[in-house]
Amino acid sequence: MEKLNIAVVGLGRIGWDTHIPEILARADRFKLVAVVDASADRIEEAKEKYGVSGYVDLEQMILTHRPDVVVIATPTHMHYDHACLALKMGCDVFLEKPMASDYETACAIAECAKATGRKLMVFQPHRASAEANQLLSIMESGKLGKVFSIYAARSAYSRRSDWQALRKFGGGMLNNYGPHYVDTMLYMVKEKIARCFCTANVVASGGDAEDVVRILMQTQSGVTLDIDINQAAALTGPSWLICGQYGTLRSEKGPDDKQQFRIRYYDPNAIPKIQASDALAAKNRSYDNDVAIPWIEEVVPLDKRFEIPFYDKLYGYFALGEEPFLPIDETLYVMKLIRDCRESSEQGPKFEK
């Protein structure tokens, strides 16, 4: 099996805790040849722990090692410079999300890849998660009937004060968690968006970038997608609530605090059809009819076997010529929707701290 020589640029949270471990776990397919970071201390840490070469300068690293793939895990506002430099120097690029600080810059990165003939893919791991794929499987089973509403929440109380709390660096929840949930929703419904509306506020953050975001989208077939990103929530509710014509799915914590899905639905063949009456005297003065719904209730534990290893897909794309797990056009569409959300949020009133 051909090994890909990989370099990681950026030794912060995602580069150090996610990308490097994923590469090292696949030693039969990848070889970590070098790292790049602005911090001399982090470079020394990587040298000592992994025995790799370390550089402050990206261009020097590429000239020395000529890696097949460069993983860009630097702060968002640096993505264009780093990705385009690597592409122009003959490397394929695996780019951390969000693709860029804004849609226009994301399009410019895609143009760099097209002009150089190099491969480019963005790391959007939520669509590969066991959670997203198990939810998709349940939706496709038909138990819920035609799904008309999907609600997803990411809630906590976080008084954020790092670079992602500042807009000048591309920070904020629209760029941070927003691409994850927008991409996952689109992956699940496999539809384009007809319209969207968004609110965004700065509440608990120490910076000027939004930490409370609500995104409401409607697909072309009328499915409502509701994304609730609230980093100023001291109490939280379910992370997923999916409603269909025959039932509902709700995520919850089960035994040992492990995630599970509670599904309540009915078999449409086991219940008589109803028809609205135009009589103005409601039977028994009731708001409902007298047909009891034979509810079926299931509790389904989260099954890790639904997870799709993103780095296996990375190897398939960059080494074997397979179709990209996440085509760049889909990433650009996510970035466009994030732009539309931001423009929508800026038209409304702002929360005063």
Side-chain angles (χ1 to χ4, degrees):
M1 182 177 288
E2 176 192 1
K3 277 194 180 185
L4 288 180
N5 291 328
I6 295 191
V8 174
V9 185
L11 299 178
R13 289 172 290 238
I14 194 71
W16 188 261
D17 293 334
T18 298
H19 290 293
I20 289 179
E22 290 279 6
I23 292 165
L24 296 177
R26 294 164 174 81
D28 60 328
R29 283 164 281 179
F30 301 124
K31 181 180 180 182
L32 181 65
V33 295
V35 296
V36 179
D37 198 90
S39 167
D41 290 343
R42 289 184 174 182
I43 289 173
E44 286 303 314
E45 185 180 8
K47 287 180 177 179
E48 291 177 9
K49 186 169 184 178
Y50 301 119
V52 297
S53 300
Y55 298 83
V56 173
D57 184 77
L58 173 58
E59 184 174 0
Q60 182 185 358
M61 183 278 293
I62 294 175
L63 288 171
T64 304
H65 294 276
R66 297 292 180 184
D68 300 304
V69 179
V70 175
V71 177
I72 306 294
T74 49
T76 305
H77 69 294
M78 300 178 178
H79 285 185
Y80 174 83
D81 289 342
H82 291 159
C84 286
L85 176 60
L87 290 164
K88 290 174 181 177
M89 293 186 71
C91 303
D92 293 332
V93 167
F94 189 41
L95 183 59
E96 180 57 38
K97 72 83 208 164
M99 191 172 174
S101 297
D102 54 66
Y103 173 63
E104 291 72 20
T105 306
C107 289
I109 295 173
E111 282 300 315
C112 281
K114 184 178 180 180
T116 58
R118 305 306 309 184
K119 292 182 178 180
L120 169 67
M121 188 162 67
V122 176
F123 188 44
Q124 292 273 186
H126 279 214
R127 68 158 58 189
S129 68
E131 178 182 64
N133 285 283
Q134 189 170 7
L135 289 173
L136 180 57
S137 176
I138 293 169
M139 288 168 57
E140 291 177 341
S141 74
K143 288 180 179 179
L144 301 178
K146 180 177 172 54
V147 169
F148 62 86
S149 174
I150 305 176
Y151 168 84
R154 178 68 179 264
S155 305
Y157 201 103
S158 176
R159 301 175 68 222
R160 196 146 192 177
S161 58
D162 65 335
W163 67 266
Q164 289 197 9
L166 298 170
R167 290 191 65 171
K168 67 180 180 180
F169 296 134
M173 287 298 118
L174 270 173
N175 273 348
N176 191 359
Y177 295 156
H180 281 312
Y181 285 96
V182 172
D183 178 68
T184 302
M185 289 277 202
L186 294 176
Y187 173 71
M188 291 167 69
V189 298
K190 296 176 172 53
E191 285 191 69
K192 294 289 188 180
I193 299 301
R195 55 181 174 166
C196 70
F197 173 77
C198 177
T199 62
N201 283 305
V202 184
V203 181
S205 170
D208 63 349
E210 69 284 344
D211 59 348
V212 176
V213 172
R214 194 68 177 262
I215 301 172
L216 194 63
M217 300 183 289
Q218 187 176 51
T219 71
Q220 291 175 341
S221 72
V223 180
T224 298
L225 308 179
D226 187 354
I227 300 172
D228 184 2
I229 303 170
N230 189 341
Q231 297 302 285
L235 296 172
T236 63
S239 56
W240 289 93
L241 189 69
I242 301 177
C243 296
Q245 63 189 127
Y246 305 139
T248 300
L249 175 149
R250 182 184 68 201
S251 63
E252 60 185 31
K253 295 294 184 181
D256 301 322
D257 214 30
K258 292 182 178 179
Q259 188 176 4
Q260 62 186 27
F261 306 114
R262 185 173 297 275
I263 311 170
R264 195 180 193 206
Y265 64 100
Y266 67 87
D267 179 352
N269 297 315
I271 192 170
K273 295 185 182 301
I274 60 170
Q275 185 171 351
S277 169
D278 59 3
L280 298 182
K283 185 179 179 180
N284 298 325
R285 297 188 178 88
S286 173
Y287 288 103
D288 205 353
N289 59 59
D290 56 3
V291 178
I293 298 176
W295 291 112
I296 303 166
E297 192 154 322
E298 299 177 9
V299 176
V300 182
L302 177 64
D303 188 343
K304 293 294 185 182
R305 290 175 297 181
F306 280 93
E307 184 173 355
I308 300 172
F310 207 114
Y311 258 81
D312 290 352
K313 296 296 185 180
L314 180 153
Y315 184 81
Y317 176 51
F318 288 112
L320 304 179
E322 296 175 359
E323 291 298 312
F325 177 60
L326 177 53
I328 202 65
D329 287 348
E330 294 185 18
T331 300
L332 290 176
Y333 187 58
V334 168
M335 292 301 301
K336 177 187 178 298
L337 290 172
I338 295 296
R339 181 198 65 182
D340 294 347
C341 287
R342 189 176 300 282
E343 290 177 353
S344 171
S345 72
E346 289 174 347
Q347 295 171 7
K350 296 301 173 188
F351 176 84
E352 294 295 331
K353 292 177 95 174

